[in-house]
Amino acid sequence: MQPTGHIAPDNLLSLEAYSKWRKTHKGEVIAHRQLRSVPLGEHLNLQFESELTIRYQIQEMLRIEKIFEEEGIQQEIEAYAPLVPDGHNWKATVLIEYTDVNERRRELARLIGVEDRLFVEVEGCERVYAIADEDLDRENEHKTSAVHFVRFELTPGMCASVRAGAAVKLGCDHTHYPVHQQIRPETLASLAGDLR
């Protein structure tokens, strides 16, 4: 399951081949995903996607749903492939995590708009705010969703700075969730690999 730069039906594994691949490589994918997960405060977690994480997600959906016909495979690709970064951005799944159901309900009502207040700040550059939920709106006037999909668009200069080793801050300036922190060097090294 090698990255190709483009996920297509002809470069995905068959269900049988994926089942064999999964037995020996699942741990590597989980470690890659953990490396690219950035907790932001106690209740937000950004999981930065890559071709590997999305390829794995598609293969898992095909396996679970036992999808082997081209139309179904194409639908899964169309659902997930837009989450692969394309050389000048980072894309992430944002999880808002509260274990207590009542606290979660209360906080999701307080955090309406939180996905639009997420930012990255490359050392020496302006903040870049997330572009959120481009596929569909995930909140209403009563609450936000516990899951969002965001994209951070970086300028060519920012991409070059990150590849050259600049520090990057991840943050949120929502009224009810102000927090920011440096992205760990090992995570940033993986994210730098997404940029051209």
Side-chain angles (χ1 to χ4, degrees):
M1 203 166 76
Q2 294 298 314
T4 63
H6 177 69
I7 300 173
D10 63 351
N11 61 35
L12 290 171
L13 298 174
S14 69
L15 294 178
E16 296 82 7
Y18 177 66
S19 180
K20 290 177 187 170
W21 183 92
R22 185 178 189 268
K23 287 176 186 169
T24 55
H25 297 283
K26 181 180 178 183
E28 296 166 24
V29 177
I30 290 170
H32 176 74
R33 180 169 285 290
Q34 287 174 337
L35 173 66
R36 295 172 63 92
S37 285
V38 181
L40 189 57
E42 292 181 38
H43 302 289
L44 279 180
N45 189 346
L46 278 78
Q47 297 180 344
F48 286 91
E49 304 295 356
S50 67
E51 184 180 336
L52 176 62
T53 64
I54 296 303
R55 204 172 261 287
Y56 180 76
Q57 179 66 35
I58 291 169
Q59 293 278 185
E60 280 292 296
M61 293 304 296
L62 298 177
R63 182 185 72 86
I64 292 165
E65 301 291 331
K66 296 181 178 30
I67 298 169
F68 57 88
E69 294 184 3
E70 182 136 357
E71 182 180 336
I73 293 169
Q74 191 61 45
Q75 288 174 351
E76 294 301 322
I77 291 171
E78 288 171 7
Y80 292 103
L83 296 174
V84 177
D86 50 23
H88 51 83
N89 54 34
W90 289 319
K91 297 181 181 181
T93 301
V94 179
L95 306 173
I96 303 174
E97 301 170 323
Y98 289 90
T99 52
D100 178 78
V101 68
N102 293 320
E103 183 183 19
R104 181 171 54 246
R105 186 178 303 116
R106 183 183 70 242
E107 293 306 313
L108 291 179
R110 290 180 71 223
L111 292 174
I112 291 173
V114 70
E115 68 279 8
D116 297 316
R117 303 311 307 166
L118 297 169
F119 65 85
V120 293
E121 190 175 318
V122 177
E123 185 179 5
C125 301
E126 299 273 327
R127 284 183 177 175
V128 172
Y129 282 89
I131 300 165
D133 300 327
E134 295 176 281
D135 58 340
L136 60 96
D137 197 12
R138 290 189 161 75
E139 68 182 21
N140 58 39
E141 64 273 6
H142 304 293
K143 68 177 185 69
T144 192
S145 173
V147 179
H148 294 278
F149 301 99
V150 299
R151 170 171 57 96
F152 298 99
E153 280 298 323
L154 306 179
T155 66
M158 291 173 183
C159 293
S161 292
V162 172
R163 287 193 316 270
V168 178
K169 185 189 303 182
L170 176 67
C172 178
D173 62 10
H174 188 280
T175 304
H176 300 295
Y177 202 89
V179 62
H180 66 272
Q181 67 189 43
Q182 297 284 11
I183 296 177
R184 297 175 303 149
E186 57 272 22
T187 298
L188 192 53
S190 180
L191 295 178
D194 297 341
L195 304 175
R196 294 193 283 269

